[in-house]
Amino acid sequence: ETGVTQTPRHLVMGMTNKKSLKCEQHLGHNAMYWYKQSAKKPLELMFVYSLEERVENNSVPSRFSPECPNSSHLFLHLHTLQPEDSALYLCASSQDRGGTGSPLHFGNGTRLTVT
Amino acid sequence: QKEVEQNSGPLSVPEGAIASLNCTYSDRGSQSFFWYRQYSGKSPELIMSIYSNGDKEDGRFTAQLNKASQYVSLLIRDSQPSDSATYLCAVNLRSSASKIIFGSGTRLSIRP
């Protein structure tokens, strides 16, 4: 496996379900990200794990919960989602050198539909 | 004011011409600037990164950065139909280098 791998590619869940999205990077990077992409909206930064810090967008609802057990793996735990949470969820990684942003390498995304 | 602004387009350019894509940003302390291309149904892929004022060329692509004007642009020379995609401008925030914020993208269409 190379690059950034996300599973599953597609997910349909009800509002009362609990599910998790998984991301794995094989690039040796030290930072991982979750972005949300909704139709006709910019990519929205949700969470960053970089140099063992966690940075989060304060506007992200608590029904989204990230977990980063190591620099290669990232999860997004989902519970009691709303239909407006339906979107493409993109994982990315980068080599954070501190002080200067580095290019992101994206996975193929998980298309989430909440019914 | 949006943190990163782009004209949503669509921008229509004839094949072989130069396509010019523009982006402005609000955080004067930003240091890193990126252009991504995103085909419909696919994830964004990096085209160019630029960190210093001036021009940076890579093949048919040239990124231009003017920090005083808080402006970054992408020129695509000899445009090809395969360049038809949405182009995303991304900028890091001064408050956290890891916070990379995207514009809403410009849809580019190259007409044969």
Side-chain angles (χ1 to χ4, degrees):
Chain A
E1 290 267 22
T2 59
V4 180
T5 303
Q6 290 186 243
T7 55
R9 292 296 305 276
H10 300 274
L11 178 62
V12 179
M13 59 186 288
M15 290 190 286
T16 57
N17 291 161
K18 288 185 180 181
K19 296 285 185 183
S20 296
L21 310 185
K22 179 183 176 183
C23 178
E24 185 174 357
Q25 61 97 1
H26 306 271
L27 299 169
H29 289 163
N30 61 6
M32 297 189 77
Y33 306 71
W34 281 116
Y35 282 87
K36 175 184 178 182
Q37 189 171 38
S38 305
K40 301 191 187 300
K41 288 186 177 181
L43 274 164
E44 176 188 358
L45 178 63
M46 301 178 73
F47 303 102
V48 181
Y49 282 84
S50 177
L51 297 174
E52 300 181 6
E53 282 187 314
R54 177 177 137 177
V55 178
E56 59 184 90
N57 181 342
N58 292 330
S59 66
V60 175
S62 59
R63 55 186 182 267
F64 295 91
S65 175
E67 179 188 359
C68 190
N70 55 60
S71 60
S72 298
H73 295 86
L74 183 65
F75 297 89
L76 187 63
H77 303 300
L78 317 171
H79 66 96
T80 58
L81 294 191
Q82 303 299 309
E84 61 263 28
D85 297 323
S86 299
L88 180 67
Y89 289 83
L90 289 162
C91 174
S93 71
S94 72
Q95 185 59 30
D96 188 344
R97 296 178 176 86
T100 303
S102 300
L104 301 175
H105 297 259
F106 285 91
N108 288 328
T110 294
R111 174 67 63 184
L112 173 67
T113 302
V114 181
T115 61
Chain B
Q1 181 186 8
K2 292 180 182 177
E3 291 171 309
V4 182
E5 291 208 56
Q6 296 181 254
N7 188 320
S8 62
L11 175 65
S12 181
V13 172
E15 186 175 354
I18 295 175
S20 178
L21 304 162
N22 304 316
C23 172
T24 58
Y25 59 95
S26 61
D27 186 347
R28 190 168 284 279
S30 295
Q31 300 179 41
S32 306
F33 307 86
F34 310 97
W35 283 101
Y36 287 82
R37 177 175 63 198
Q38 187 174 25
Y39 293 113
S40 180
K42 302 292 187 182
S43 58
E45 55 179 329
L46 180 71
I47 297 175
M48 297 278 288
S49 55
I50 186 166
Y51 304 94
S52 303
N53 279 330
D55 295 1
K56 180 181 178 182
E57 187 175 319
D58 184 0
R60 295 186 297 111
F61 299 96
T62 298
Q64 299 174 316
L65 175 61
N66 183 327
K67 291 185 180 179
S69 301
Q70 295 172 248
Y71 176 93
V72 58
S73 65
L74 180 70
L75 301 177
I76 306 175
R77 290 181 299 281
D78 188 24
S79 296
Q80 303 296 311
S82 59
D83 295 326
S84 297
T86 296
Y87 288 80
L88 304 172
C89 174
V91 177
N92 81 306
L93 296 183
R94 172 179 46 188
S95 59
S96 169
S98 303
K99 276 192 172 180
I100 296 178
I101 305 301
F102 284 77
S104 55
T106 298
R107 191 152 55 92
L108 175 66
S109 175
I110 307 299
R111 57 182 190 272

